Amino acid sequence: VPYISVFPVGKYVLLAMELLLKAAGIGLTAEVAGLVCADAGNAALAKMLRLLGTAAILCLSVPMFTALLECITEMVGYG
């Protein structure tokens, strides 16, 4: 496959690893905070914290999707 040697795979791998570590940290923090709120009797706040954690992870993943689209456009030949 001649296309593999053309792309700078290193920066995409580092970006993905950084994203995964940040997403895991945000997810764990939101889940623990949600569990604490649920144990304290505030289920609505717990649900909102989990939702905001998910939204933060989605916002964090936008650069990864951009890099993926750039890679696809380079493969197809539009870039």
Side-chain angles (χ1 to χ4, degrees):
V1 179
Y3 291 121
I4 293 176
S5 63
V6 175
F7 301 116
V9 177
K11 74 175 186 178
Y12 295 123
V13 171
L14 290 177
L15 180 65
M17 290 302 294
E18 181 182 353
L19 174 69
L20 284 174
L21 287 174
K22 286 181 181 179
I26 291 171
L28 287 173
T29 304
E31 185 66 26
V32 168
L35 288 173
V36 168
C37 289
D39 284 344
N42 200 344
L45 183 60
K47 190 174 182 181
M48 188 57 63
L49 281 172
R50 290 182 185 137
L51 179 69
L52 288 175
T54 304
I57 291 172
L58 285 174
C59 289
L60 184 68
S61 65
V62 169
M64 188 65 185
F65 288 126
T66 304
L68 179 65
L69 287 175
E70 286 177 7
C71 183
I72 290 172
T73 55
E74 286 179 17
M75 263 200 242
V76 173
Y78 292 120

